[in-house]
Amino acid sequence: MSRKLRIWYPGAIYHITARGNKRGALFYDDCDYLTYLHILEDVRFMYPFILHSYCLMTNHIHLQIETIDHHIQYIMKTLHSRYAVYLNRRFKTVGHQFQGRYGDELIESIDYFLEVSRYIHRNPLEANMVSRCEATPGAVILLILHLLITLTLILPTRIPSFLNRCISVTNPMWKINLKSGGISMTSKVTSIGLKGLEGYKVSVEVRTMQGSESFVIVGLPDASVKESKDRVTAALHGLGYTLVNQKVIINLSPAELKKTGPLYDLSMALAVLLSMKEITVRSPESTAFLGALSLDGGVRAVEGMLPAVLAAKKVGVEKVYMPFDEELPLFEIDGLQIVYVSSLDEVLQHLSGQNILPFFPQPREEEQDHMDYIDFEHIIGHSYAKRALEVAAAGEHHLFMTGPPGCGKSMLAESFPSILPPLTKDAQLEVMSLYQLSTSMSRYSSQPPFRQPHHSSSGVSIIGGGQHPRPGEISLAHRGVLFLDEIAEFTKKTLDMLRQPL
C-alpha cells in the first residue's frame, strides 16, 4: 500500500507531530532538549523556514512550521535523522527513535492557525507540567494576536510574519529565542592582519553550537593560528568558562588572505565568549584586539605588534586593546586610543565598564645620543669625496665610489649616515616596524639605519622573501643607507634583482 502523498507548496504551514518509538522518551535531560533545538536551528539555515510555535514534551513533539522554498519532507528528514543519530550515539543503541512517520496537518485558515497555536501552547498545561496556562510565553502571544485581529485589519499572509517575531518555548524551562540565534549565534570581533608591512582589518567570526566537542579555525590559518584553539581553550578554562559539548567554528575574514602568527588569540577568545552569551559587552567594529594568550589567561606581545598598530590607524580603527611590549617605545598616534592590558580578565572588566588600574610603563631610554658609526667631521682630507657625499645626502642621490684599495672608500661610506638628518617620529616607527617583522634586534633610534651586507649574500637576503617572507637588507635600510662594498664581487643575479628597487 502506497503512502499518502504530502501536499506542499511555497508558503505552506503545517502542524508537525512526532512521537518516540513505542511511546518511549525522546528527551531524557536538559542536554537532549538543547541538542534538538540546536539541530533545529541548523536545519533552519540549510532549508529556511519560519517556526511559529513549538512544544517539546518528554515523548512527543509539536511544531508549527511555515515553509518558504523547500519541501517539508527535506526539513523533517534532516531534523529527525540527525537527532536519531545523536540519541543512538549517546546511549550506544541502534534502530529507530521515532514511531512511524511524522504527522503533518496542512493549515489553510486563520482560525485553524490560531487553534493549532493555542493547542501547542496548552500542551504543558494538559500534561500538568505547569499550573497555569498564563505562565507560558505562548499565552501572551495569543492574547496580543487576538487584540490585533480585533482592532485592525490584518491580512492573513501577514499574521505568520508577526508571530515569527515572537518565537518562544512553551515549557518555562526553555526560554530560547531561535529567531535571534537561539543557543547558537554568530559573534564578530575585529583584529588586524599583516601582509608584509601593510595591514588589513580581520573580522573574527565565531559560531558556537551544542554538539560534539570540536574547535575549527578556517580562513587560511597557518600552523601558529591553528594552535590558537588550545591556547584559547586553556585561557577560558582558567577564567571558569568551559567548552564542554560545544562545537566552535571560527572564520577569519577575509578568507582569501593568509593569516599568520598568534596575533588573533585575544579576539578569538572574546568572540567565543560573545557567541556563547557568557558576556554581554559590546565590541564595536572600530575597536581591535591584538595579542597572544598564555595558558593562564595572560595577554602576551608577539612579533608584528607595531606594524599592526600602525595599520589599525590606516584602516579606520579608533581603539586598540594590546599588551605592552618592553621592546617597543611608548608612542602616541593621533586619532587612535591604545589600551594596554595584561590579561583577558582585564579586557572583560574594561569592556563591561569597570575601572582597571592605569598602566604606567617605565620610560625607555632612547638611543639617539649613541653614535654607531664614524663621524663625518673626524675624517681629514678627501675634500672632493666629502663634497660628493654632501651633495648626495642633500639630494638623496645614489653614490658610486671607485679607487685603489686602502684609499678610504669604506671609511667615507660608513661615515655617510652621520650627515643625514635625524629620523622623525613617524619614520622611526616605520623603521622599527621593519626590524620587528624581520625578527632582528629592535631598533629605536633617530639615526638613519646603515646596512652593509657581505658580497656573498644571497639575493633573497638582500631583496627579501623566502618560504616565510621577511624583509631583506634593502628594506632594513629604509630611510637610511645600503652600502654594497666590493660591488663587483656580488653575483650577477643579485645585482639584476637590485635594478628595480634602486
Side-chain angles (χ1 to χ4, degrees):
M1 180 178 177
S2 61
R3 295 193 294 184
K4 180 182 177 182
L5 181 65
R6 299 188 189 274
I7 301 175
W8 175 83
Y9 50 86
I13 304 176
Y14 298 91
H15 175 203
I16 303 296
T17 57
R19 187 176 296 276
N21 194 24
K22 298 181 180 179
R23 294 183 176 270
L26 288 171
F27 306 100
Y28 295 89
D29 55 24
D30 295 357
C31 183
D32 293 340
Y33 286 101
L34 290 174
T35 300
Y36 186 89
L37 292 175
H38 149 63
I39 297 174
L40 183 65
E41 175 72 346
D42 280 354
V43 174
R44 188 170 70 90
F45 275 92
M46 295 171 60
Y47 307 109
F49 62 84
I50 300 173
L51 181 65
H52 294 296
S53 61
Y54 62 97
C55 177
L56 307 183
M57 305 294 284
T58 305
N59 64 350
H60 67 278
I61 297 165
H62 292 276
L63 304 174
Q64 191 174 14
I65 291 178
E66 177 182 351
T67 60
I68 299 178
D69 295 320
H70 298 91
H71 199 294
I72 189 65
Q73 66 180 9
Y74 301 120
I75 298 172
M76 297 309 302
K77 178 181 178 181
T78 306
L79 173 62
H80 283 177
S81 62
R82 287 182 59 180
Y83 186 69
V85 170
Y86 157 78
L87 287 180
N88 284 331
R89 287 180 177 175
R90 179 180 182 188
F91 297 106
K92 295 180 173 58
T93 59
V94 294
H96 299 285
Q97 294 293 339
F98 291 91
Q99 180 178 309
R101 302 177 74 195
Y102 63 88
D104 61 328
E105 294 186 31
L106 191 61
I107 301 175
E108 297 184 294
S109 68
I110 294 299
D111 292 338
Y112 190 39
F113 182 94
L114 295 175
E115 182 61 29
V116 169
S117 183
R118 186 184 299 110
Y119 173 80
I120 291 176
H121 286 90
R122 285 182 57 86
N123 230 252
L125 179 64
E126 299 295 337
N128 296 321
M129 295 178 66
V130 293
S131 59
R132 296 183 303 113
C133 185
E134 291 81 359
T136 64
V140 179
I141 298 172
L142 291 176
L143 176 60
I144 295 174
L145 183 59
H146 280 303
L147 290 175
L148 287 174
I149 292 177
T150 303
L151 298 177
T152 61
L153 295 177
I154 302 179
L155 294 175
T157 55
R158 297 301 299 169
I159 293 178
S161 300
F162 164 76
L163 278 177
N164 185 45
R165 302 181 209 144
C166 309
I167 299 175
S168 61
V169 184
T170 56
N171 190 333
M173 293 178 59
W174 309 106
K175 296 180 180 178
I176 301 176
N177 189 319
L178 288 183
K179 186 64 177 179
S180 63
I183 59 176
S184 61
M185 62 170 290
T186 301
S187 60
K188 296 182 180 180
V189 174
T190 301
S191 188
I192 301 296
L194 291 175
K195 189 177 181 181
L197 195 59
E198 298 296 323
Y200 56 92
K201 190 179 294 185
V202 174
S203 178
V204 181
E205 304 172 353
V206 175
R207 185 174 182 83
T208 57
M209 300 170 285
Q210 288 286 338
S212 58
E213 293 182 29
S214 64
F215 201 115
V216 181
I217 302 176
V218 298
L220 289 183
D222 70 350
S224 60
V225 178
K226 292 179 181 178
E227 291 175 352
S228 296
K229 62 182 181 182
D230 298 314
R231 293 190 294 269
V232 171
T233 302
L236 293 179
H237 184 270
L239 294 179
Y241 302 104
T242 179
L243 298 179
V244 176
N245 294 329
Q246 293 286 340
K247 181 178 181 180
V248 181
I249 302 176
I250 298 180
N251 177 42
L252 303 178
S253 177
E256 67 273 10
L257 297 178
K258 183 77 173 179
K259 315 301 186 306
T260 60
L263 200 64
Y264 312 100
D265 285 6
L266 180 57
S267 55
M268 286 185 190
L270 288 173
V272 168
L273 292 176
L274 287 171
S275 180
M276 295 170 58
K277 298 187 178 179
E278 294 287 355
I279 57 176
T280 56
V281 299
R282 292 183 65 254
S283 176
E285 188 178 352
S286 58
T287 300
F289 299 87
L290 307 174
L293 288 177
S294 59
L295 300 186
D296 61 354
V299 184
R300 301 288 179 262
V302 296
E303 65 176 63
M305 296 291 291
L306 181 56
V309 172
L310 298 179
K313 169 63 177 175
K314 295 179 181 179
V315 298
V317 172
E318 299 175 357
K319 181 188 290 187
V320 172
Y321 287 82
M322 60 176 288
F324 177 71
D325 188 355
E326 295 181 354
E327 297 296 326
L328 296 180
L330 289 175
F331 55 89
E332 294 183 359
I333 301 177
D334 293 337
L336 181 65
Q337 179 185 358
I338 299 178
V339 181
Y340 291 108
V341 292
S342 60
S343 67
L344 176 59
D345 191 37
E346 282 190 9
V347 178
L348 298 178
Q349 292 179 30
H350 194 275
L351 289 174
S352 61
Q354 301 180 33
N355 292 325
I356 60 175
L357 292 176
F359 186 74
F360 296 106
Q362 294 293 329
R364 182 181 175 184
E365 294 183 1
E366 298 184 353
E367 304 171 1
Q368 278 86 341
D369 297 331
H370 177 66
M371 181 90 52
D372 293 330
Y373 30 70
I374 301 172
D375 194 340
F376 189 78
E377 66 179 2
H378 292 166
I379 299 178
I380 300 175
H382 296 291
S383 57
Y384 290 106
K386 291 169 70 174
R387 174 61 178 170
L389 289 170
E390 291 171 352
V391 172
E396 297 183 350
H397 303 301
H398 300 308
L399 187 65
F400 181 75
M401 293 188 293
T402 62
C407 67
K409 300 186 299 298
S410 296
M411 179 182 63
L412 287 167
E414 291 174 3
S415 68
F416 187 46
S418 64
I419 62 174
L420 295 176
L423 299 178
T424 63
K425 290 293 183 181
D426 291 341
Q428 291 180 51
L429 294 178
E430 282 184 25
V431 173
M432 194 169 186
S433 298
L434 286 166
Y435 275 74
Q436 194 178 38
L437 287 176
S438 68
T439 66
S440 59
M441 185 179 297
S442 297
R443 184 187 190 284
Y444 182 54
S445 173
S446 62
Q447 298 178 7
F450 179 81
R451 306 295 298 186
Q452 184 179 358
H454 193 263
H455 58 75
S456 63
S457 300
S458 66
V460 172
S461 66
I462 294 179
I463 302 299
Q467 183 177 3
H468 303 286
R470 301 288 183 187
E473 291 292 335
I474 194 169
S475 298
L476 297 177
H478 179 58
R479 294 187 179 272
V481 178
L482 175 64
F483 175 39
L484 301 178
D485 197 9
E486 302 293 344
I487 191 171
E489 301 296 329
F490 283 81
T491 63
K492 181 178 183 299
K493 179 180 178 182
T494 301
L495 295 178
D496 287 340
M497 294 173 69
L498 285 170
R499 288 176 183 269
Q500 185 172 359
L502 295 179

